[in-house]
Amino acid sequence: MSSLLRAELLRLASRRLLVMMLVAMAALAALGVMVSADLVKPVGPEELISARENIRIALIDWESTCGGNESSVECADWPKPQIEEFMHTPLGFGEYAENALDLGFPLVLVAVAALVASLIGAEFASGNLSTQLLFTPRRIPLLLAKLAVGCVAGIVVAATYVLTSLALSAITFLSLRGAHDMSAGVGLPLMIGRIMVLVLILALMSGALTMGLGSSLITMGVYLVVLVGSWTLETVVRGSSWVQFALPSRVLMTMMAGQTELYDWWSGSDDIAVFRYMNYDWALAYSVIGVVIIAVTAAWWFRRRDLLG
């Protein structure tokens, strides 16, 4: 098994597709940081001048209506305007880094799924897998080695994206705000953890599906059909939260965000919603069970396929 892993890792390191994907992830991270840079900029002179003019006009309107009395009946729901309402509030470093990571998160998932499926699908298309089976007749160790290397590839791609984004976010924040405001709460490490866990699950799923189906195109087609069908069904059964708990699209959103809201409706009413929540632990358990089922099925089918004929 160790020799199989070593051989597969050496093959992975020589793949140009992996290098191209790493460059693309670094560029994607840089784009996310650049797009989010405005959210961290301090209030500038022009914005301050504009805010002072806007607050002057707002106070005139408020005083003409309320007579300067916040407790009047006319102004019960209209508090006295404050200048902060007309200026943006710069994000802290943690929020800025989370926002930059979140922008490219879905594309990272697509890239990992496509990369792992392509790496394994190419083995089928080129006939290399059949050649390997001549020297490694035991198929399950070979399948496990390819799944393990697929997971390594996915983690490397995701880590490149995360580390590049964090490094560029730190540099951008320091250049705009300095080091005295540079702090992050627990939200940032939790988000990084969610990214890595989801990438690992997705890499395993993509590898297992491709090993079972024998084609990267069919694997990506299955993803597309399942997700589009799930999103469509989600709009149809929006009033049944118990059905939404089983939809892959909702589970994926929960794995990305940590928690999502589900909607249900009181019987006989069209406008009163009951909010329910899908928690991360449920989505994680659902995903792990799904991956195990897919992997076992793929292993069974891979053992039965005639790849030497």
Side-chain angles (χ1 to χ4, degrees):
M1 186 66 182
S2 60
S3 59
L4 277 175
L5 279 173
R6 192 180 308 112
E8 292 296 328
L9 286 171
L10 289 174
R11 290 163 64 85
L12 176 64
S14 64
R15 296 290 184 90
R16 277 187 251 179
L17 179 61
L18 178 63
V19 176
M20 293 170 59
M21 196 66 74
L22 295 180
V23 173
M25 289 300 100
L28 179 63
L31 179 63
V33 171
M34 290 173 58
V35 170
S36 304
D38 286 340
L39 301 175
V40 79
K41 288 181 179 179
V43 177
E46 293 182 1
E47 184 178 0
L48 185 58
I49 293 172
S50 176
R52 286 172 177 167
E53 178 62 21
N54 289 330
I55 188 63
R56 185 184 67 81
I57 297 172
L59 285 173
I60 292 173
D61 293 340
W62 180 80
E63 289 175 359
S64 64
T65 303
C66 304
N69 185 6
E70 293 186 72
S71 60
S72 64
V73 176
E74 294 84 355
C75 297
D77 297 323
W78 188 5
K80 184 177 181 180
Q82 303 296 324
I83 192 171
E84 289 78 12
E85 299 173 18
F86 300 93
M87 298 186 296
H88 82 281
T89 302
L91 297 181
F93 173 72
E95 295 171 312
Y96 172 49
E98 288 179 46
N99 191 80
L101 284 171
D102 189 56
L103 286 176
F105 191 3
L107 292 178
V108 173
L109 298 180
V110 174
V112 168
L115 173 65
V116 176
S118 297
L119 291 175
I120 296 178
E123 301 286 336
F124 284 92
S126 65
N128 287 339
L129 192 62
S130 300
T131 304
Q132 284 183 282
L133 288 174
L134 294 174
F135 301 95
T136 311
R138 297 178 61 189
R139 298 193 177 194
I140 296 303
L142 182 62
L143 180 144
L144 294 176
K146 290 189 178 297
L147 290 184
V149 172
C151 291
V152 170
I155 291 297
V156 169
V157 167
T160 299
Y161 172 75
V162 170
L163 293 176
T164 303
S165 181
L166 290 177
L168 294 178
S169 295
I171 293 172
T172 303
F173 191 89
L174 286 171
S175 65
L176 293 174
R177 299 267 293 277
H180 62 284
D181 289 331
M182 194 168 178
S183 61
V186 71
L188 181 58
L190 284 178
M191 183 176 187
I192 294 172
R194 289 197 303 270
I195 291 175
M196 292 304 178
V197 169
L198 185 51
V199 163
L200 180 61
I201 290 173
L202 192 60
L204 276 171
M205 188 179 297
S206 297
L209 278 173
T210 310
M211 290 297 289
L213 298 172
S215 168
S216 57
L217 290 178
I218 296 177
T219 297
M220 298 309 294
V222 168
Y223 276 132
L224 182 62
V225 169
V226 170
L227 286 178
V228 171
S230 180
W231 280 323
T232 302
L233 188 59
E234 188 173 337
T235 61
V236 174
V237 299
R238 191 167 184 175
S240 301
S241 60
W242 63 271
V243 177
Q244 294 183 55
F245 268 90
L247 294 177
S249 58
R250 178 59 58 174
V251 173
L252 176 62
M253 293 299 295
T254 305
M255 290 289 291
M256 293 172 64
Q259 186 183 69
T260 56
E261 292 181 349
L262 302 177
Y263 300 94
D264 208 343
W265 307 97
W266 289 107
S267 177
S269 174
D270 293 330
D271 57 356
I272 301 177
V274 178
F275 292 94
R276 302 184 184 181
Y277 297 93
M278 177 183 282
N279 295 320
Y280 184 80
D281 52 355
W282 160 259
L284 179 60
Y286 182 102
S287 302
V288 170
I289 292 172
V291 168
V292 169
I293 293 173
I294 291 172
V296 171
T297 305
W300 174 80
W301 183 247
F302 181 65
R303 290 184 65 181
R304 293 175 58 88
R305 292 188 65 179
D306 181 13
L307 296 171
L308 299 176

